[in-house]
Every structure is written in C-alpha cells, then in structure tokens.
Amino acid sequence: MKKIIINADDFGLSHSVNQAIIDVYLRGNLTSATLMVNMPGTLEAVAMAKAHPGLSVGLHFCLTEGQAMTGMSSLTDASGRFFSRQALIARCASGKVRQADIRREFQAQVDFFAAHGLTLAHIDSHQHCHMMPVIFFAILGQINRIGVPLRLAFANAPLSLLWRRPVRFFKQAVLICMTTLYKTLLRVPTNDALVSIHDLDKHEFELADYTRLVAASQGRVVELFVHPYQLGKDLHQLYDGCWEDHAEFIGKCHSEYQVLTGQDVVKQFNGEITVYAKI
C-alpha cells in the first residue's frame, strides 16, 4: 500500500498563503506544510502552526527569495537579499558560491524551529534548490546529522518528451541520475515519488487531476506537493514590480486552492495518508 503525504509549500510566504494552507488543512486535504522562515508571513505561520498542532511542519529551505538570515554572503547581493534561482544556478556553476555560506544559512534556518518552539518534521526547499549538486553536497552532512526526513525531487522523462521538448528531456534525465545518487548517500528517510498538478500543461485544475497523478506515481512513499494561495493584496505588494513574472504561477495556485477547499480530495486516494515522520 502506498504511503501518501500531502504537503503544502510556501507556508510563511504571506498572509494570503498562510490562510489558504490552514483552510486546506481544516478541510482535511493536507497532512503537512513546509515553512519559509525568512518571509513576511513567517511569524504568523508560526502562530498558526501552534494553534493547529495536528499540522506537521517542516523547513522549506530558501536560498532564492527574501532576505538571508545570516546577512550578506556569496548567496546574496550587497543588501543580504538572495539572488533569483537562475542567478543562483549560474553562480554555483561558476564557482562563486561558498559551501560554508550554504551550510551557515541552512543551519540558521533549521535553528529557527527550536528558537520558536516548533518541531522540525522534515526538510525540503523552495524551488527545489537543494537538488543542485553544490547545495546538496554542502548540506548533506548536516541533513544526516539532523536525522529528519528529506524530500527528493523526482523527474519524469518519457521518451515522447525527447522529440517534443529535447532540452527538458535531458534536464529531467540528469535530475533522475542525481536523485538516484542522492538516495544512496542519505541516511534519512525520503520519498520515492513527488507529484504536483503544476506539472500538468493546464491553468485550471479539478479533482481528477489529483487522483490520476497519485494513481500513476511509482514507489512506496509518494508526496503530493501543493501550493494553495488565496488572492490578496499582500501578494501584489510582495511581488511589486515583477508581478507579470509570478502571475501565471499564482493563478494556478489559486485554482489549486479552490479545488482543495471545495472537495474531499484525500478520500479519493488509494493508500495510507500520512506524514514524513511515519514513513
């Protein structure tokens, strides 16, 4: 029987996202959320987590948005703000990112949990940044010492993708190889599959999308990761000046929120609904 985890990313991003996540949790369609500890809604999310102790909370390790907890470093600009994901990839590839800076920032984000009275349930990352080899190998020792489960990002590279989107096919193939290697090096539990309706080529979602994705997933431990967002002014303020870059993704997140608060999604799955601590 599959063990199915339903985790919401971006807890702490803003009030609109925090409230959406709690709404989905209270609807019964969520088992855990991962917290961004460096964003405007972080402290509100901490209070919400404490008010709903049944919600398992992990770390959404962030290196690509907001202010660094450790100040200016090779990960940030002169103001201590993280570079974009694209810029981080380029800096890692060119050797401009120091592993010591990665380790220090990771530890600071982990330590936030104990400092605020939260139990760290598992670890993943914003925009899957921990899957970059430079970052993964920088924090591998810390992850194994901490001993909590880690989400791995699994790719799907069907042969049909080779002639439809060859660049994406080779990127996915590389990710498959990296994930296989990472699993052999980790001494903590991990998922066996990771699915999201954001991988579908559509903008509005329905209940059947979730059931098909989970049913088609391979492996014993499957994480369905979700991004429920309400549409609030705080999101416009957060992305003021770059709204067009985020509007499509946020629109999909709002569609996901509507499905996850409107229907009993979890009841459609064939498997044990669980959290990372129980895999």
Side-chain angles (χ1 to χ4, degrees):
M1 180 179 291
K2 287 181 181 177
K3 291 180 177 288
I4 303 168
I5 298 161
I6 307 96
N7 183 81
D9 288 4
D10 299 351
F11 199 30
L13 180 68
S14 74
H15 170 73
S16 293
V17 176
N18 292 345
Q19 190 59 59
I21 288 172
I22 295 300
D23 289 348
V24 174
Y25 170 70
L26 294 176
R27 186 67 169 82
N29 286 328
L30 198 66
T31 62
S32 63
T34 35
L35 176 67
M36 303 176 78
V37 302
N38 66 324
M39 298 303 293
T42 294
L43 293 181
E44 180 192 51
V46 170
M48 287 178 165
K50 290 180 178 179
H52 300 89
L55 178 66
S56 179
V57 180
L59 171 65
H60 200 49
F61 179 41
C62 184
L63 292 177
T64 56
E65 190 167 353
Q67 294 290 132
M69 300 193 73
T70 53
M72 187 180 69
S73 74
S74 63
L75 297 165
T76 74
D77 62 18
S79 68
R81 187 171 186 83
F82 289 125
F83 295 111
S84 68
R85 184 175 186 272
Q86 292 76 13
L88 177 63
I89 292 172
R91 289 178 65 81
C92 285
S94 61
K96 293 180 180 178
V97 173
R98 294 188 295 270
Q99 289 202 333
D101 292 338
I102 300 170
R103 287 191 288 268
R104 193 161 57 97
E105 180 65 27
F106 178 72
Q107 193 61 52
Q109 295 190 25
V110 167
D111 291 345
F112 178 94
F113 277 71
H116 289 79
L118 293 177
T119 299
L120 178 61
H122 74 282
I123 296 168
D124 58 34
S125 67
H126 191 47
Q127 300 179 329
H128 302 315
C129 67
H130 73 290
M131 296 299 294
M132 301 179 198
V134 171
I135 296 170
F136 178 83
F137 286 107
I139 63 176
L140 174 61
Q142 288 164 288
I143 290 170
N144 283 335
R145 284 194 298 273
I146 293 166
V148 301
L150 177 75
R151 169 209 282 172
L152 290 175
F154 288 82
N156 183 24
L159 284 177
S160 60
L161 192 64
L162 179 58
W163 52 83
R164 289 190 294 111
R165 299 177 65 183
V167 174
R168 180 172 175 79
F169 174 84
F170 285 109
K171 285 182 178 179
Q172 296 293 82
V174 170
L175 182 56
I176 290 171
C177 294
M178 289 192 302
T179 304
T180 302
L181 172 63
Y182 293 172
K183 252 188 175 296
T184 67
L185 300 173
L186 288 163
R187 299 198 302 271
V188 299
T190 68
N191 54 316
D192 299 312
L194 182 69
V195 296
S196 168
I197 57 173
H198 286 263
D199 291 332
L200 303 178
D201 190 19
K202 58 194 301 187
H203 292 84
E204 295 186 356
F205 308 114
E206 57 190 5
L207 177 62
D209 293 323
Y210 292 95
T211 55
R212 281 195 295 266
L213 279 171
V214 172
S217 61
Q218 302 295 316
R220 186 180 69 91
V221 179
V222 178
E223 182 189 332
L224 168 66
F225 73 113
V226 299
H227 295 81
Y229 283 24
Q230 289 184 357
L231 297 180
K233 292 181 179 179
D234 54 337
L235 284 174
H236 283 272
Q237 292 170 351
L238 184 63
Y239 297 117
D240 183 37
C242 58
W243 178 256
E244 290 185 359
D245 296 335
H246 298 272
E248 181 178 353
F249 174 76
I250 290 173
K252 290 181 178 182
C253 294
H254 181 60
S255 175
E256 189 162 25
Y257 170 73
Q258 292 176 307
V259 177
L260 292 171
T261 54
Q263 301 186 59
D264 292 326
V265 176
V266 166
K267 292 183 179 179
Q268 310 302 314
F269 298 149
N270 183 20
E272 176 188 351
I273 308 302
T274 189
V275 293
Y276 271 100
K278 297 182 179 179
I279 62 173

